[in-house]
Every structure is written in structure tokens, then in C-alpha cells.
Amino acid sequence: MIYKEEFDALNVAGIHYVVVGGVATVLHGYARMTIDLDLVIELAADMPARAIEVLTGLGYRPRLPEAAEAFADSGKRAGWAAHRNMVVFSLYHDSDPRRVIDLFIEYPLEPAMLFGNKTSFRIGGVDIPVAGIDELIKMKRATGRPKDEEDADRLQEIRAGDADHDPR
């Protein structure tokens, strides 16, 4: 599993996060190609700073000409959203720029819904918290991108085809 080290390090550090995007779509059962890892980090207290510390310690650097630590500043994140139309803060790995982690700069859904309805997958001995299928469908529909619409359609088929769908 490509991001096993990252999941393990975030878990050990006690970071509250949930996987969304393509990796979450795949884990819920729609096999499609994806490379980047999309994460929603709890944006309260010191969680963003701790997440950045973990990820930079693993060799991740920001794509923006900003210090990685800027992600921890709620004012900076608000400015990025308002003035740059940013949705995510992208980090790439020093050893392989194709290894990308995108951190949402704002919650894409209400935090109680996103974190409260997450599911967990255990892969390679590592627990991976993933957005629930309903929340993932809502997020995918909200983007308006054709690829995300297709993902949402497939996820709805998976959910409808298995009323007792439990991907764990």
C-alpha cells in the first residue's frame, strides 16, 4: 500500500483525519486509478500543526511557495480560500513528486457529519479512517467535475446494490 507509512505515522501521532477523494472511493469498492491522497484533518486546536509536523518529517514539502507550517494558520487558510480559490494545500514527497497529499483547507462537509460517520479499513495492519459512503457521495456531487460525478454514480450503485454494505 503506497501511503501505509503516512497512515501509520498520522495514527501514531494521534492526528484526527479522514480519507476522502479517490483513495476513499477505491476503498469503498469502486476500482479506479488514483495517485494522490486527499485528507481532511481536524482543523481545531493544534491538529493542523501536528499533521504538518508528521508529514514534513516524512519528507513532504508544499507545492506553494509557502512554509508548510502556514497550513496551521487558520487566517492563512481562510485567505487562500477567499483570495486564491484554493480548496486543498498540496504537499509532494521529496523522493517522488508523484506522491502527493492534498489537505483540505476548510471542511468540505460539517465536521460532525464527516468525522462522525466515518468508517475504518484495516489494511496491512494499519487502520485507515475513511469518509462514509454517503458523505463521500455528497462531496463528489458538490464538485461538479465529471470524474467526481462518475465516482458518485458508482458509489451510489455500490450502496444500492448492497443494502448492508459494509466495506470493512
Side-chain angles (χ1 to χ4, degrees), residues 14-168:
I15 306 301
H16 301 158
Y17 71 98
V18 64
V19 178
V20 297
V23 170
T25 300
V26 170
L27 289 171
H28 276 292
Y30 175 45
R32 69 143 171 103
M33 181 64 181
T34 189
I35 296 174
D36 67 329
L37 175 63
D38 299 305
L39 300 177
V40 177
I41 304 290
E42 183 180 309
L43 297 174
D46 67 341
M47 207 58 64
R50 291 176 47 212
I52 286 295
E53 183 179 328
V54 168
L55 295 172
T56 57
L58 293 173
Y60 284 89
R61 304 292 171 249
R63 286 207 188 276
L64 284 179
E66 294 267 1
E69 294 76 20
F71 177 76
D73 183 328
S74 61
K76 284 245 189 214
R77 290 193 313 269
W80 293 336
H83 305 296
R84 293 186 180 180
N85 295 320
M86 283 176 55
V87 176
V88 296
F89 184 75
S90 291
L91 303 164
Y92 69 94
H93 199 276
D94 280 342
S95 69
D96 182 357
R98 296 170 297 175
R99 278 177 63 187
V100 174
I101 296 179
D102 289 333
L103 304 175
F104 276 75
I105 62 172
E106 298 178 315
Y107 293 116
L109 295 175
E110 289 297 319
M113 181 186 302
L114 193 59
F115 288 96
N117 295 327
K118 69 184 177 193
T119 189
S120 184
F121 294 87
R122 187 162 183 80
I123 300 175
V126 177
D127 290 319
I128 305 168
V130 178
I133 197 165
D134 291 328
E135 289 68 32
L136 193 54
I137 290 168
K138 286 176 188 168
M139 287 180 62
K140 293 287 188 177
R141 294 267 187 241
T143 70
R145 297 185 316 181
K147 178 173 79 172
D148 289 325
E149 285 294 329
E150 181 180 339
D151 287 350
D153 290 345
R154 299 299 82 76
L155 289 167
Q156 274 192 279
E157 290 171 6
I158 289 167
R159 187 184 61 202
D162 183 4
D164 297 320
H165 178 71
D166 184 357
R168 293 173 282 182

